[in-house]
Amino acid sequence: MAKTDWQMNDTVLPDDMNQIGQEINDAATAAANAQDAADAAATAAANAQDDIDAHKADYTKHAITAVNVEGFGAVGDWDGSTGTNDTVAIQNAVDYAISIGSNVIFLPHGVTGVYYVSSITNADKVRFIGNNAFFYNCLFPVQQLGASGSGAITPPDGLGYNPPVTIPFIKNNGKAAHDFDVSIFAPTGKTYYVDIKTGNDSNDGLTPATAFKTMNKAISMSDVVVIRVAAGVYYWNYGPTTINKPALSIISEGGKSTFSVHDKLTWTVSAGYTYTYEATRSAVASVWDTQILDKNGDYTPLTQRASIAEVDANPGSWYTDGTKVYVRTRDSREITDDSVRAYLNVDNLKFAANGTLYLENIDFEGGKSAVRVENLAAGNTTKLYAKNVSFKYSSSSNGLTALGVSEAILQNCLAARNYLDGLNYHAQNSVIPKAVEVDCIGRSNGIENGHHNNGSSIHDGGTIVRINGEYYENDGPNIADVNGAKSWNVACVARQSTPSDSNSTNFYNQGTMWLDNCESYGSENDLVVAGNGTTYTRNFLTEGKNIIGGGSKVVGY
């Protein structure tokens, strides 16, 4: 590099002149290269613009035209019983769209927003787009403009209940956005600790280090409001029984706890038999194998038989003579541990009180109902709140039975493999139930096999809000709201109801039901409306298999 700190009396040497000349030449070369780069960039920009112009022309040439059914005489004025039959007009619109290479049919709102059609040929070859417009009986799905991310989703007029969950918008994945946390309703106060592994009922229960061993001991404390349970399996004789408290929170810490209505039994081979094991235990209602799981990861039930000999002859069987239980597993293995669970014909957790119960991080297994919550008299304000709770393997009733509960709010809860319904709400003592299910699942319920058991069901004029729920593979309608009930279902999916007859239904309504951004598929019927019921739909995606009883109707909103 040439010298730059020259002084007045410095002598300029030949090497200095050579270095200065070299740097002048380098600068000239760099300037020339920069000009070449600028010219190349200008050329590339011009080529890019040519390419953009060409793509614009190509897009314009091949753009799909949405065919407006109004141009073919469709009116959209059906009011549930009278109006224009738009079958011919919309068929003509579909035929025209296909002839010009379009697959988009636009339904403006029209008069009522409901278009009556009997059938449309080639409907599967087009996509219906609506501006708050629908087909009567939801014959074909209509995607609503702005259905995703279009603004706050608010409870419909007529619901009569304002749930404590705000839905600012529907996300692009079809689920409702929310930041709700049901734990805000958990009662707080005097706290006791329970630890099945290290606790002792002679302790004071006031710290984790001095925890009680059993739930019964903690519940018996007159001033208890909060029970913090160390993660573990709590057997029937260590778990909860009937509770009557004005306020109680039961929270599992360090992981989930299991509250089960089985004992840890000692198994021995039955005399004279090869594969059958026995244990002393009365009042057995059902037997489940925890080592052989089904496709959903659930335990598998054993089949009850009439004798020990039948058990030994049939893998996956059990029998009781009233004092002992006899079992042969499906894989005919030796039973040396707690992997086979004989659930008893008793209540698991029963909360019968004029009060509030909060549950968190608990798996309830077995019992007549896995959890039963009920009021004691007219005027009671019995409330249930639950987070990350499962209700499974009930022996004679529902996963959750809620009777006369003035408010039940469940978040991220699961009801599965129960004898009757997964989640069931009824009136009692003149108290009409209100319920909210947020991010809940009701699946694979109805072991009774009566074809009328549901993932979730509310009765007796009750009101329920379901948000982001999944209800599937139940032995009956996946969702059933009956006896004048009201339900608002937002971003819920119901699918693959298991009966082979008309009870294979995703949504069953015998009151007033709103289906808002919901989806239905895989069952004999998407929607059944009976008993003069009314179903309002908005962006309801179905397979078009609906049954609308006399006096009932389906309308868009």
Side-chain angles (χ1 to χ4, degrees):
M1 179 177 179
K3 182 176 178 180
T4 58
D5 56 344
W6 292 96
Q7 305 296 320
M8 288 295 296
N9 297 322
D10 285 351
T11 301
V12 179
L13 301 175
D15 285 345
D16 294 325
M17 295 301 296
N18 290 337
Q19 187 63 44
I20 292 170
Q22 182 61 49
E23 291 187 7
I24 291 172
N25 290 336
D26 289 345
T29 300
N33 290 339
Q35 184 60 52
D36 291 343
D39 293 341
T43 300
N47 291 338
Q49 186 59 51
D50 290 343
D51 189 53
I52 290 171
D53 292 340
H55 278 80
K56 282 182 178 180
D58 185 65
Y59 177 82
T60 301
K61 179 180 178 180
H62 293 94
I64 294 176
T65 300
V67 175
N68 190 327
V69 298
E70 278 188 344
F72 294 82
V75 179
D77 63 352
W78 193 258
D79 65 3
S81 58
T82 61
T84 304
N85 186 333
D86 287 319
T87 301
V88 173
I90 293 179
Q91 183 66 67
N92 290 338
V94 169
D95 293 343
Y96 176 74
I98 293 173
S99 72
I100 65 171
S102 172
N103 70 341
V104 178
I105 305 296
F106 176 64
L107 278 65
H109 180 71
V111 179
T112 65
V114 180
Y115 291 80
Y116 180 92
V117 295
S118 56
S119 65
I120 298 293
T121 303
N122 292 326
D124 59 332
K125 296 180 181 179
V126 298
R127 182 161 54 102
F128 295 102
I129 304 293
N131 180 18
N132 194 25
F134 306 83
F135 288 110
Y136 179 64
N137 286 356
C138 301
L139 188 63
F140 305 106
V142 181
Q143 180 180 346
Q144 301 302 311
L145 294 175
S148 177
S150 60
I153 307 298
T154 57
D157 295 339
L159 183 66
Y161 175 52
N162 189 22
V165 185
T166 300
I167 305 173
F169 58 90
I170 301 297
K171 297 186 287 187
N172 288 334
N173 65 0
K175 293 299 184 181
H178 69 83
D179 59 0
F180 177 71
D181 190 335
V182 71
S183 65
I184 63 175
F185 295 102
T188 58
K190 186 62 175 288
T191 300
Y192 289 92
Y193 294 83
V194 176
D195 192 327
I196 186 68
K197 299 173 183 175
T198 65
N200 191 311
D201 281 353
S202 64
N203 291 338
D204 62 18
L206 296 177
T207 69
T210 60
F212 297 137
K213 186 175 184 67
T214 69
M215 281 292 299
N216 288 337
K217 176 64 175 178
I219 292 168
S220 72
M221 305 305 291
S222 61
D223 58 351
V224 65
V225 178
V226 179
I227 302 175
R228 296 193 176 275
V229 182
V233 177
Y234 290 78
Y235 301 99
W236 172 63
N237 50 337
Y238 294 115
T241 54
T242 298
I243 302 171
N244 185 346
K245 298 283 184 182
L248 183 66
S249 294
I250 305 176
I251 301 169
S252 178
E253 297 183 323
K256 296 191 79 173
S257 287
T258 298
F259 289 0
S260 176
V261 293
H262 80 285
D263 298 314
K264 194 170 185 179
L265 303 176
T266 300
W267 297 92
T268 58
V269 178
S270 296
Y273 294 95
T274 306
Y275 304 108
T276 299
Y277 286 74
E278 66 181 55
T280 300
R281 179 69 265 182
S282 61
V284 175
S286 62
V287 179
W288 294 71
D289 193 333
T290 69
Q291 282 197 4
I292 299 178
L293 307 180
D294 66 14
K295 65 177 183 178
N296 293 313
D298 298 327
Y299 309 156
T300 52
L302 278 64
T303 301
Q304 187 172 8
R305 303 292 180 180
S307 67
I308 306 173
E310 286 187 31
V311 170
D312 200 63
N314 294 279
S317 301
W318 74 279
Y319 164 73
T320 180
D321 60 9
T323 58
K324 289 185 178 182
V325 59
Y326 303 86
V327 169
R328 179 181 178 181
T329 63
R330 281 181 170 78
D331 55 0
S332 301
R333 69 180 184 275
E334 180 183 7
I335 306 175
T336 59
D337 53 18
D338 195 34
S339 63
V340 174
R341 297 185 176 177
Y343 294 129
L344 308 182
N345 188 33
V346 297
D347 290 314
N348 192 329
L349 185 150
K350 181 179 179 181
F351 185 80
N354 179 20
T356 298
L357 174 66
Y358 176 80
L359 305 170
E360 183 174 334
N361 292 336
I362 303 172
D363 294 327
F364 291 93
E365 297 183 355
K368 297 176 182 178
S369 289
V371 172
R372 180 185 176 98
V373 180
E374 61 182 312
N375 65 20
L376 296 173
N380 281 182
T381 55
T382 306
K383 297 181 180 181
L384 168 67
Y385 304 101
K387 180 179 180 180
N388 302 332
V389 172
S390 70
F391 314 91
K392 301 175 79 172
Y393 314 126
S394 69
S395 60
S396 60
S397 188
N398 311 298
L400 169 65
T401 298
L403 303 175
V405 175
S406 60
E407 184 171 72
I409 302 181
L410 315 180
Q411 183 173 19
N412 195 33
C413 291
L414 166 68
R417 302 294 278 154
N418 294 292
Y419 188 74
L420 298 178
D421 294 349
L423 305 168
N424 181 285
Y425 312 87
H426 272 272
Q428 180 167 283
N429 294 321
S430 301
V431 178
I432 307 301
K434 289 184 173 63
V436 180
E437 297 171 6
V438 182
D439 301 322
C440 291
I441 296 174
R443 61 161 175 79
S444 311
N445 296 289
I447 295 172
E448 176 214 26
N449 201 33
H451 305 328
H452 52 258
N453 301 301
N454 320 118
S456 176
S457 179
I458 193 164
H459 302 245
D460 307 327
T463 302
I464 188 169
V465 176
R466 302 183 182 94
I467 300 171
N468 295 339
E470 296 187 30
Y471 307 90
Y472 56 95
E473 297 177 359
N474 296 287
D475 185 48
N478 286 308
I479 289 177
D481 301 327
V482 300
N483 308 128
K486 295 180 180 179
S487 70
W488 181 37
N489 304 276
V490 184
C492 292
V493 177
R495 58 180 173 87
Q496 297 165 317
S497 171
T498 59
S500 58
D501 57 18
S502 61
N503 289 302
S504 174
T505 297
N506 287 329
F507 295 91
Y508 183 94
N509 174 32
Q510 202 181 67
T512 305
M513 174 182 283
W514 288 265
L515 298 175
D516 204 331
N517 290 275
C518 291
E519 184 176 2
S520 166
Y521 64 92
S523 298
E524 289 295 313
N525 304 305
D526 292 301
L527 171 66
V528 173
V529 188
N532 296 317
T534 299
T535 300
Y536 299 92
T537 66
R538 178 166 59 186
N539 199 35
F540 181 35
L541 299 180
T542 80
E543 295 177 328
K545 298 179 292 185
N546 305 311
I547 297 176
I548 315 300
S552 301
K553 59 183 179 179
V554 178
V555 296
Y557 83 104

